[in-house]
Amino acid sequence: LDFDVVMLLDDDTIVPTPFCIDMHHFKDERVSCVTYGITVGKRDTLSEWLADYDYKTWCYRNLWRSKWTTLRFAVGICVVYSREAFFKIYTRQPTQTPRGLP
């Protein structure tokens, strides 16, 4: 297959129309993946509001980690990897990684 990026998407996520992947991020050789934050569409109950808050705090946590740490791989509801980074990371078995996954 001829593709530049691989998108991993949580199974119950509804992608807005149109949804565009900004390839500009990948022009920087230090960038191998980009995560996208989400908003819970329906926040009528406390549990839905808390889930939305949890997603937002994960996004800020990932933003902080991307600036001040070296991530081995990104996590999130929607993650877009460069093709090279995806195959480099996911062809190895996580159990064989010396210190384990973050």
Side-chain angles (χ1 to χ4, degrees):
L1 297 173
D2 186 24
F3 53 90
D4 296 326
V5 296
V6 175
M7 182 169 77
L8 303 180
L9 187 66
D10 200 37
D11 64 345
D12 61 348
T13 301
I14 299 170
V15 178
T17 304
F19 180 77
C20 299
I21 297 171
D22 186 355
M23 297 299 288
H24 180 264
H25 298 292
F26 295 101
K27 290 181 181 176
D28 184 341
E29 63 185 29
R30 299 169 298 169
V31 175
S32 60
C33 67
V34 177
T35 63
Y36 290 88
I38 66 164
T39 299
V40 173
K42 182 179 164 218
R43 295 182 299 266
D44 297 334
T45 66
L46 179 61
S47 62
E48 291 166 340
W49 186 89
L50 289 172
D52 185 56
Y53 178 76
D54 182 49
Y55 294 143
K56 284 180 176 44
T57 56
W58 263 91
C59 292
Y60 285 113
R61 174 185 171 267
N62 285 342
L63 175 64
W64 183 86
R65 290 179 72 195
S66 72
K67 302 242 182 251
W68 290 284
T69 67
T70 302
L71 296 176
R72 293 189 200 143
F73 69 98
V75 295
I77 301 299
C78 178
V79 182
V80 179
Y81 283 96
S82 70
R83 180 177 184 227
E84 294 79 24
F86 178 80
F87 285 109
K88 182 178 178 182
I89 293 168
Y90 285 97
T91 53
R92 296 188 329 190
Q93 291 291 333
T95 55
Q96 294 175 352
T97 304
R99 293 185 355 225
L101 296 174

